[in-house]
Amino acid sequence: FHQACRPFIQTARCYARPVRRKRKDIPSHLDDLPPTMLKKDYADVPVINSVDDVVRRLLSLEMASQKEKVKVKTQQLVEKVRRSPNDNGSFEVQVAMLTAKIRTYEEHLQRHPKDKNNRRRMLMDIDRRKKLLTYLRRVRYDTFENTCKLLNIQYTLPPPYTRRITKRWLVKKAFCVKVFQEARKLKAAERLKQRREWQARARAAKE
């Protein structure tokens, strides 16, 4: 009996399996890199023009890993904002490097939303970039605007300071207001007494 029912049980199990949904193609900030572009380490080698097509394909982005493509993208962003060919550490260059890292983290988290470690790293890089942009906005506003425009960054002003309203804070505030009002009443009596004395002195001086 069990052997006769095995095919039916197996069919039912196969029918009950959850259907895997196809993942949507997530747009990447590396899509604009042409596959014929050479890797960062081989772009300035003079011998690269004399190699055959197979070697050139191996050294191009067509056979490159994600890490190598990010290096090329970072170099492109740095070239947009650097002040001189030897500029490797200015605020604009640091913002460009952090922007490439943040966009890579964003794409990774769209595919793996439960990766808390990379999410924490992304938030740390966002905070670092925001501090650099805040400094640029305060010191060199034209450079700040140009950097945001070239790197396609939307800078939002930090919100004003807001205090969390709790029951303890409300009680403390009401007590402080009451103390302030009582102190004003005492000071008002003293000020009235001083004003009367000044008026009496002024009358005596006139007479």
Side-chain angles (χ1 to χ4, degrees), residues 46-78:
V47 192
I48 201 67
N49 297 322
S50 59
V51 298
D52 55 354
D53 295 339
V54 178
V55 178
R56 194 174 182 85
R57 283 186 63 189
L58 290 173
L59 301 181
S60 64
L61 296 182
E62 184 180 356
M63 303 291 181
S65 62
Q66 180 80 3
K67 187 176 181 180
E68 292 169 336
K69 291 181 181 179
V70 171
K71 284 184 180 180
V72 176
K73 191 65 180 180
T74 304
Q75 188 67 21
Q76 285 185 353
L77 295 180
V78 168

Side-chain angles (χ1 to χ4, degrees), residues 36 92 103 109 117 151 171 180 194:
T36 56
E92 302 92 282
R103 289 173 182 172
L109 290 172
N117 193 13
L151 300 179
V171 172
F180 176 72
Q194 289 179 359

Side-chain angles (χ1 to χ4, degrees), residues 106-158:
E106 287 176 349
E107 293 175 10
H108 175 77
L109 290 172
Q110 286 180 358
R111 295 184 177 89
H112 310 282
K114 295 184 180 181
D115 191 351
K116 297 182 180 179
N117 193 13
N118 281 324
R119 185 178 296 277
R120 176 176 169 272
R121 293 176 182 175
M122 182 187 73
L123 294 176
M124 290 173 64
D125 288 339
I126 289 174
D127 289 341
R128 287 178 58 195
R129 186 180 71 174
K130 195 167 186 180
K131 288 179 181 178
L132 294 173
L133 289 174
T134 303
Y135 176 80
L136 275 178
R137 186 176 182 273
R138 187 175 71 250
V139 177
R140 301 175 61 187
Y141 190 79
D142 53 345
T143 307
F144 161 78
E145 276 194 335
N146 188 36
T147 303
C148 291
K149 184 179 179 181
L150 292 175
L151 300 179
N152 196 15
I153 299 174
Q154 293 182 356
Y155 181 82
T156 55
L157 293 173

Side-chain angles (χ1 to χ4, degrees), residues 158-173:
Y161 176 75
T162 55
R163 191 184 189 92
R164 184 185 174 189
I165 299 176
T166 59
K167 187 176 180 180
R168 181 180 179 183
W169 182 79
L170 290 174
V171 172
K172 185 177 179 181
K173 184 178 179 181

